[in-house]
Amino acid sequence: RLYNSNSREQQEKDYKKAWILTIIFGGITLLCFIALGYREYGNQNQQVFWSQGGMGVSQNNDAFSLFLIYGLPIWIGGLLAKYFYSQTQILKVTKVGRSTVQNDIFALGDEYSILNDIELTHVETSTVFDSIIINECGIFIVFTVNRNGKITGDVADQKWVQHKIGRKGTPYSSTFTNPLKTIYFQQKFLEEFLKDNGIPKKVEGYVVMPMADYVQCEDYKMAQSNKDLIEKIKREKTKTISNEELDNIVHLLIDAQ
């Protein structure tokens, strides 16, 4: 059974909204450039006209007014267009990474209930689960990290490092929060949520990086690939959840949206 929450629809809306805003502000910037060019062309003709007409006056542009009318909109529009374009690329990578994982976990089979992009609120705290997978052998959560390149870091580290090669062949790196810290938090969050709703159950969590070339950490919770993730989940053979409890958990999570 598969359930996709409204969070996925919201992600699609955010992606489209970012593209629309990129086009709008990019268009504003372009129109300001065109208007400025047209104005300068007109001013040159006017200066020739006035000088030949014997008025003895040269109509110079006021630099500050010119900046306010044209320069400021071009500058702001360009910055906003650049920002929203970068957001489209981030959302695109996020969408591709999650979709890859969420499509591959179909291989688990019909005996698993799969809930994607689930947002839960408990004790005034909210978190979004990329995937929650449930069957009679357990409850599993998946946290997808959309980072490519070489990833270094270990269980105890607060930050992990992403190593990449730039477009011009220059190596660079950036840090991000240790994803194992996130999965530990989400595990405890879901366990407390279920317990307070009368279904005390253990939750297992896994991190997967489908776009990474290499991940240093070899902790059991770190799935090295989508295939490795599926194997880890299928490895659980002990039945700990009845059919009635399974249905109750699924409906509880769906109703909490």
Side-chain angles (χ1 to χ4, degrees):
R1 292 182 295 179
L2 172 67
Y3 174 77
N4 291 319
S5 77
N6 292 332
S7 295
R8 174 174 288 189
E9 294 179 5
Q10 185 60 48
Q11 290 167 9
E12 291 291 337
K13 290 179 181 178
D14 290 343
Y15 179 69
K16 292 177 181 178
K17 181 180 177 181
W19 261 119
I20 291 171
L21 290 171
T22 300
I23 293 169
I24 289 174
F25 287 112
I28 290 173
T29 304
L30 179 61
L31 287 174
C32 287
F33 267 119
I34 292 172
L36 179 60
Y38 182 77
R39 175 190 173 93
E40 289 303 303
Y41 175 76
N43 282 343
Q44 288 177 5
N45 290 339
Q46 280 186 357
Q47 287 176 4
V48 171
F49 171 78
W50 289 115
S51 62
Q52 291 179 351
M55 298 295 294
V57 182
S58 176
Q59 295 205 352
N60 296 319
N61 291 322
D62 179 64
F64 183 70
S65 298
L66 194 64
F67 171 74
L68 287 179
I69 297 172
Y70 297 103
L72 193 60
I74 289 173
W75 180 59
I76 294 175
L79 286 177
L80 289 173
K82 181 179 179 182
Y83 168 77
F84 286 113
Y85 177 74
S86 68
Q87 292 302 300
T88 65
Q89 300 310 296
I90 293 171
L91 290 168
K92 181 180 178 180
V93 170
T94 301
K95 183 169 65 171
V96 170
R98 283 183 183 170
S99 296
T100 299
V101 175
Q102 292 172 353
N103 289 337
D104 284 355
I105 58 180
F106 279 127
L108 286 168
D110 295 336
E111 64 269 26
Y112 291 84
S113 294
I114 301 170
L115 295 86
N116 292 324
D117 305 310
I118 297 295
E119 182 175 3
L120 296 178
T121 301
H122 182 59
V123 194
E124 298 183 353
T125 302
S126 296
T127 189
V128 177
F129 296 85
D130 292 338
S131 293
I132 302 177
I133 302 164
I134 311 165
N135 85 330
E136 57 188 9
C137 295
I139 303 169
F140 313 92
I141 59 175
V142 179
F143 178 49
T144 304
V145 180
N146 300 291
R147 298 270 179 169
N148 54 13
K150 179 182 177 181
I151 309 299
T152 58
D154 217 332
V155 179
D157 297 332
Q158 291 296 322
K159 297 287 185 179
W160 283 11
V161 183
Q162 176 187 24
H163 305 271
K164 293 181 65 178
I165 303 296
R167 294 179 180 178
K168 297 182 179 180
T170 305
Y172 69 95
S173 62
S174 60
T175 60
F176 60 99
T177 301
N178 182 346
L180 292 176
K181 305 291 185 185
T182 302
I183 203 67
Y184 284 130
F185 164 76
Q186 290 192 333
Q187 268 186 248
K188 297 302 180 184
F189 184 100
L190 186 54
E191 286 176 350
E192 289 296 323
F193 178 85
L194 293 173
K195 180 180 177 182
D196 289 351
N197 282 277
I199 315 175
K201 293 293 176 182
K202 183 181 178 182
V203 176
E204 292 291 343
Y206 301 104
V207 175
V208 63
M209 296 186 175
M211 305 178 72
D213 299 323
Y214 167 81
V215 181
Q216 175 190 0
C217 183
E218 296 182 354
D219 186 79
Y220 184 76
K221 290 185 176 297
M222 187 70 235
Q224 297 297 321
S225 64
N226 293 353
K227 181 180 178 181
D228 185 36
L229 170 67
I230 292 169
E231 290 175 351
K232 288 178 183 293
I233 294 172
K234 282 192 169 184
R235 206 167 290 157
E236 298 294 334
K237 301 293 185 181
T238 305
K239 295 182 180 181
T240 58
I241 301 175
S242 67
N243 289 332
E244 182 181 355
E245 287 177 324
L246 194 153
D247 287 337
N248 288 340
I249 292 170
V250 171
H251 286 116
L252 172 65
L253 297 177
I254 292 174
D255 292 341
Q257 299 305 291

